[in-house]
Amino acid sequence: MGTILVGKSRPLRGEVGVDGSKNAVLPLLAATLLTEEVCEIADVPELNDVDVMCKLLRSFGAVVEEDKRAKSIKVIAKTLTANEAPCALVKQMRASILAMGPLLARTGRAKAPLPGGCAIGKRPIDLHLKGFRALGADIESMEDERSYGYVEAVAAKLAGGEIYLDTRSVGATENIVMAAALSEGNTIIENAAQEPEIVDLANFLNKMGAKIKGAGTDVIKIEGVKRLHGANHAVIPDRIEAATFMLAAAITKGDVTVTNMLSDHVKPVIAKLRECGVNVEDTERGTRVRVTGEFLSATNIKTLPYPGFPTDIQPQFMTFLSTVSGPSSVVETVFENRFMHVKELNRMNAGITVTEGRKAIIPGGRVLRGNQVKATDLRAGAALLLAGLAAERETEISDIYHIDRGYSNIVEKFSSLGANIKRSP
Ligand code: UD1
C-alpha cells in the first residue's frame, strides 16, 4: 500500500471546496432502505466509506447506481433479500451498524456482527440496542470480544417508545430516528445528539414522508408512519473537512478561502482559531482564513458533543497548537482512546505529554521535524498531514487508507493550494 509524502510547504494560498459530509451521507444511504421507492442522493463525496456503504446496501438486495462524475447515488431497495450485515463490511466501517434500524423497521429483523471502524475507544452500541428495545424489539447479543460477537434485533412490528440516551450518541440517535420513523406509535428521544448530520437525516426522512420534529435539539419527537416513499436529497458540506482546511491555512500561516462550507457548523473551531490570533471571516466566496502576524498564541480545548468543540477535529487542532507560542491543553471527553496521534506527533518533535488519560499538554513553539509516521485512524492521519506541511524535512505517512476513508482527493486539494504533497505508490 502507498504512502503520502509531505514536505515543508510555503503559506497555502487560494480557494478550496469542501465535499459532501461523510458522516451525513452514511446515515442518508442507510435510510434509503426504509422505502421500496427510488431515492437519489446528491453531493456525495468520493470516499472509501461510501463504497463500503453501497456494498452493504447491495448485500441486502438493494440496487445501487453510483454516478461518481455527477456525485450522485440512486438507491432502489424494492425487495430486500437479506437482513444480516456481512462481517467483512462491518469490520471495515463501524457506521455499517446504521443499517440496523432501517432493516429492523422494514423487515422485522436485523443482525450484525459487532462493528469495526476507527480504533479510538471501546465504542459500544448499547444505546442503539436500548433504543430498539424501547421500540419493542427483542435483542439477542453475544458480546464476547475474544470470539465472533453479533447482535440481532427482532420485532414483528415496531411500536413507539420513550428513550433517554445516557450519552449523546450520534449513531444511536440516528439509528433510533430511522427505526421510529417507520414504527406504529409515537417516539420521544431525550438527551438526543444534536449534530448537523442528524438534522440532515431528519430533513431527508421528512421528505420521504416521516414526521420528525426537534432534530438539532436534545428532544426529538417522531410520529411513526406506515409507509415512506422515495425522495431526492443533497448532502450537507463536510464540517470536519472544512475545519481541516482552515487549520492547514493556519499552520502554514497562509491565506485560504474555504468554499461550500457552513461556518455555523464549525463555530467552536472558528472561535478557538480567533483566540490563537488567526483571522477568520465569512466572505461572498466562502470562509477566509489567514494569518497576518508572525506570532500565534496558545489556547485550551475540550471536546464535547455538538455544539461543543468536535472530537473529530481535536487531533488536527492539537497539531496546530504544537506550533504556536506557549503551552496549551487538550481534554478529550467524547472518546477514551483518542490520543493515538500523540505518539506519532512526538516522533516529529511535538513534545506532547498525556496526563490522566484524557488530557494532553502541548508545550508549543516546537519546530516539527519530518519523520516516517503512521496514520492510526482517520483524523489522526489528517493531523499528521498538517504536521508535515509545517515540519522541516519530509514526512512519510503510512496506513493512509484511514485518510482515504474520510477525505476525497485530499492530495489534489492540498496541492492546488500550493502544498508540497504527493502520493508514493
Ligand atoms: C459519530 C461520527 C464520528 C464522531 C462521533 C462523535 C459518524 C459515521 N461517525 O460516531 O466521526 O467522532 O460521532 O462525534 O457519524 N456510546 C456509548 N454507547 C453507544 C454508542 C455510543 O456509550 O451505544 C459512546 C461512545 O463510546 C462515545 C460516545 O458515546 O464515547 C459518542 O459516540 P457516538 O456519538 O455514538 O459516535 P458514533 O456515532 O460512532
Side-chain angles (χ1 to χ4, degrees), residues 301-374:
I301 302 277
K302 185 179 186 179
T303 66
L304 287 167
Y306 193 86
F309 191 94
T311 174
D312 281 353
I313 209 72
Q314 177 264 104
Q316 302 90 314
F317 213 100
M318 189 186 289
T319 301
F320 167 62
L321 291 177
S322 65
T323 64
V324 304
S325 312
S328 304
S329 72
V330 170
V331 177
E332 171 61 52
T333 76
V334 179
F335 290 110
E336 69 274 16
N337 188 25
R338 201 164 203 176
F339 282 145
M340 285 182 297
H341 49 282
V342 168
K343 189 168 154 222
E344 301 303 301
L345 286 175
N346 284 349
R347 286 167 51 75
M348 297 178 70
N349 196 37
I352 301 165
T353 47
V354 174
T355 60
E356 305 152 35
R358 289 196 176 199
K359 184 172 186 178
I361 306 290
I362 302 108
R366 307 286 282 219
V367 176
L368 296 178
R369 282 198 295 270
N371 205 339
Q372 289 184 327
V373 287
K374 196 162 96 174

Side-chain angles (χ1 to χ4, degrees), residues 22-23 26 94-95 123-128 167-171 195 311-312 334-335 338:
K22 167 180 96 68
N23 288 352
L26 298 176
R94 183 191 153 80
R123 307 191 79 178
I125 55 163
D126 56 307
L127 297 173
H128 301 239
T167 306
R168 288 192 174 174
S169 159
V170 177
E195 270 68 0
T311 174
D312 281 353
V334 179
F335 290 110
R338 201 164 203 176

Side-chain angles (χ1 to χ4, degrees), residues 1-2 4 22 47-49 91-92 116-120 340 374-382 397-408 410 423:
M1 186 181 303
I4 293 181
K22 167 180 96 68
L47 299 172
N48 287 354
D49 272 11
K91 258 192 193 159
Q92 281 178 54
C118 283
I120 53 179
M340 285 182 297
K374 196 162 96 174
T376 49
D377 66 65
L378 166 54
R379 308 304 171 184
I397 309 171
S398 61
D399 287 11
I400 55 170
Y401 63 92
H402 283 296
I403 301 177
D404 292 328
R405 281 187 44 222
Y407 291 91
S408 64
I410 187 145
R423 279 180 198 265

